Amino acid sequence: MEYLIIVIVLVVLVLIAGGAMLVRSRRRPRGGGTPEAPAAASPPAPPGPGEGDGSGQPDLLIPTVTGPTATEIAEAPPPLAGRMTRLRGRLARSQSGFGSVLLGLLSRDGLDDQGWAEIEDTLVGADLGAAPAAQIVNELRTQVRVGGARGSDQVRTLLRQDLIEQVGADMDRSLRVDRHGDRPAVVLMVGVNGTGKTSTCGKLARALIGEGHAVLLGAADTFRAAAADQLETWGQRVGAPVVRSDREGADPASVAFDAVREGIEDRVDTVIVDTAGRLHTKTGLMDELGKVKRVIERQATVDEVLLVLDATTGQNGLRQARVFAEAVDITGIVLTKLDGTAKGGIVVAVQRELGVPVKLVGLGEGLDDLAPFEPATFIDAILG
């Protein structure tokens, strides 16, 4: 009996050994050779875009650059002085501009009552305003009659002089953007949505940085979705730090206060504060704008309050200007979308309405298409 048990055990052991040999033979590569190396011996492939490596750390990916190209960022902006002369072609490129219409009327052999009436209508249609248009036409007719001016060139010269006078060649259009004492200059940018207010903040920052200023941007437009993101993008494009809140709907006065405080601590030259694009019909929002200015003035002077207006909005833009002027002391006007417009007379109308000068004009969508307003260059451009 003992021998039988021993035999059975030996048979089982033989069967187990044979099975193991069979498994090993199946793992060998075809054609013989050595067994495959363990998979761990091969270096792991790098993760593809968007894949994780299991460590919980973000992948090191090549960033996608949005906005301007590297060349565009590296190029130094042209100086503010003289920009309008370089961009004057933008003002005359539209055949519907009132300068083109005036030239057509003045090119006639003679001007009768009907011709003078058409000139006045053209000036009114260009948002110059009824009173300034009538004044210009009356003075021009008197000059032609008394001075004996004949021909379109002579009349054009007289018209140019009258228009420059109406635009206000003697108004102070300088920008107070230089650091004074131990405080930076503070520029408050105001206006309704859609006028190019935030873009103007970025373009002005770029121009000032190009002239050697250290500039900081404050994202106090906390009411419009993604407004702070838009300003931050501009900051990255032009090389200016941006102070913003980490949540939407934050108190804009608080953000403005923090921006100016950081500007003081960092000893920057200019702080540009972008405010919410308030509807001029919303009294509560306009009151909030006054609060922003008052809070800033607890620690620094607000040197400029620039009202951004769309030059194509005409009389609606004038209504906006009136209400903003009641809420906060406007020191200057920025007219955007002035290139090729038939509404160039808005320059005269808004200055007469507010008693403050147009200081900057937007003559295109490019980074450097913001220019200081120059009356003579403007009139020469629209008259051709």
Side-chain angles (χ1 to χ4, degrees):
M1 187 64 179
E2 293 179 357
Y3 291 110
L4 179 60
I5 293 174
I6 293 172
V7 171
I8 292 173
V9 171
L10 290 175
V11 170
V12 170
L13 291 175
V14 170
L15 290 175
I16 292 174
M21 292 295 293
L22 180 61
V23 171
R24 289 186 63 189
S25 65
R26 286 182 179 178
R27 293 182 59 185
R28 292 178 182 273
R30 291 183 179 180
T34 59
E36 294 178 347
S42 300
E51 298 176 358
D53 59 4
S55 66
Q57 300 296 323
D59 298 332
L60 297 177
L61 303 178
I62 299 175
T64 302
V65 180
T66 58
T69 63
T71 302
E72 198 172 11
I73 295 174
E75 291 178 351
L80 275 171
R83 275 196 188 186
M84 196 165 186
T85 300
R86 293 191 297 273
L87 298 171
R88 59 177 293 174
R90 308 277 181 87
L91 293 166
R93 68 184 182 188
S94 172
Q95 295 302 312
S96 63
F98 78 90
S100 300
V101 177
L102 287 175
L103 284 178
L105 294 171
L106 293 172
S107 63
R108 298 176 180 177
D109 293 336
L111 284 171
D112 54 14
D113 290 343
Q114 180 62 31
W116 287 111
E118 290 182 31
I119 290 177
E120 184 173 345
D121 291 343
T122 300
L123 293 173
V124 172
D127 285 332
L128 188 73
Q135 180 181 346
I136 287 177
V137 170
N138 289 335
E139 291 179 355
L140 192 58
R141 293 189 71 171
T142 300
Q143 291 169 336
V144 170
R145 183 172 61 252
V146 174
R150 294 291 183 271
S152 60
D153 288 342
Q154 290 177 301
V155 176
R156 177 191 177 280
T157 299
L158 294 174
L159 175 61
R160 175 184 182 274
Q161 294 172 350
D162 289 342
L163 286 174
I164 290 177
E165 183 178 342
Q166 288 292 330
V167 169
D170 58 345
M171 299 185 79
D172 180 13
R173 303 179 193 276
S174 60
L175 285 171
R176 295 185 291 272
V177 292
D178 294 324
R179 181 180 178 84
H180 43 83
D182 61 348
R183 295 289 185 271
V186 178
V187 178
L188 200 61
M189 205 73 70
V190 304
V192 302
N193 287 334
T195 58
K197 177 173 53 60
T198 301
S199 298
T200 299
C201 290
K203 292 177 183 180
L204 179 58
R206 172 174 163 82
L208 295 178
I209 290 172
E211 294 185 346
H213 285 68
V215 180
L216 182 143
L217 296 170
D221 183 354
T222 59
F223 296 149
R224 180 170 63 90
D229 292 339
Q230 182 186 1
L231 189 67
E232 192 165 33
T233 298
W234 270 105
Q236 293 169 354
R237 297 173 79 179
V238 305
V242 177
V243 173
R244 57 174 296 178
S245 173
D246 58 359
R247 62 185 180 86
E248 291 186 8
D251 179 19
S254 176
V255 177
F257 183 88
D258 290 343
V260 174
R261 181 180 60 190
E262 185 160 331
I264 294 172
E265 293 174 352
D266 294 348
R267 300 188 60 80
V268 303
D269 299 304
T270 314
V271 176
I272 302 175
V273 180
D274 185 22
T275 64
R278 292 159 173 78
L279 294 174
H280 58 289
T281 56
K282 300 295 185 182
T283 305
L285 294 179
M286 296 304 293
D287 291 342
E288 183 70 31
L289 179 59
K291 175 186 172 184
V292 170
K293 185 173 184 289
R294 291 192 302 272
V295 168
I296 290 175
E297 289 175 334
R298 294 176 183 173
Q299 56 183 338
T301 302
V302 176
D303 300 273
E304 293 280 2
V305 180
L306 299 179
L307 173 61
V308 183
L309 294 175
D310 182 338
T312 66
T313 58
Q315 294 300 312
N316 187 47
L318 290 181
R319 287 191 291 271
Q320 295 173 16
R322 294 187 195 106
V323 179
F324 274 96
E326 293 173 0
V328 64
D329 294 330
I330 305 296
T331 63
I333 302 157
V334 182
L335 279 177
T336 60
K337 307 177 188 179
L338 193 63
D339 51 319
T341 178
K343 301 293 186 180
I346 190 68
V347 173
V348 175
V350 72
Q351 288 184 155
R352 288 171 67 100
E353 181 68 33
L354 299 184
V356 297
V358 172
K359 292 191 173 185
L360 296 167
V361 290
L363 300 173
E365 299 299 326
L367 291 176
D368 300 317
D369 290 345
L370 184 72
F373 181 72
E374 300 169 2
T377 303
F378 172 69
I379 297 302
D380 286 343
I382 63 176
L383 290 180

